[in-house]
Amino acid sequence: QVQLVESGGGLVQPGGSLRLSCAVSGRIFSIPLMGWYRQPPGKQRELVAQIPSVGNTNYKDSVKGRFTISRDNAKNTVYLQMNNLKPEDTAVYYCFAHVRLNSATNGNRYWGQGTQVTVSS
């Protein structure tokens, strides 16, 4: 059983910062890819950032230069540091992890429960 537990959302004023965390637990062989999606009110879910175990990160254009994704492989945790937040960043943020349970499988994608980020004065 793989579980993803998110933390760090909340209410912040424009220009402020938040740091999201997502810890993955369970019988894990490897996590080739981790990242974050968000779903703004009334809109579809969109990719914000993702980070592979090896290779380059990538970001949604509108968050480049403001958001930074990182991971701690020893803790199976992914982070999203969000700076200079704007009202249009308001959304429910979902972490995901592509998890391999053993060396014989390609793995599956698992999701966190979602955390609300509201940017408002």
Side-chain angles (χ1 to χ4, degrees), residues 8-14 17-18 85 90 116-121:
L11 172 65
V12 64
Q13 292 185 342
S17 298
L18 283 175
L85 281 160
T90 295
Q116 178 70 46
V117 172
T118 302
V119 185
S120 175
S121 55

Side-chain angles (χ1 to χ4, degrees), residues 40-85:
K43 296 184 179 181
Q44 292 187 336
R45 193 176 293 194
E46 58 189 19
L47 177 65
V48 177
Q50 61 184 22
I51 180 168
S53 55
V54 178
N56 297 323
T57 57
N58 68 282
Y59 295 90
K60 179 179 175 59
D61 284 347
S62 63
V63 308
K64 287 180 180 177
R66 300 188 297 121
F67 291 11
T68 302
I69 190 171
S70 61
R71 59 189 284 173
D72 184 334
N73 293 324
K75 296 181 179 180
N76 289 334
T77 299
V78 62
Y79 305 95
L80 186 67
Q81 177 67 44
M82 304 184 292
N83 297 329
N84 190 21
L85 281 160

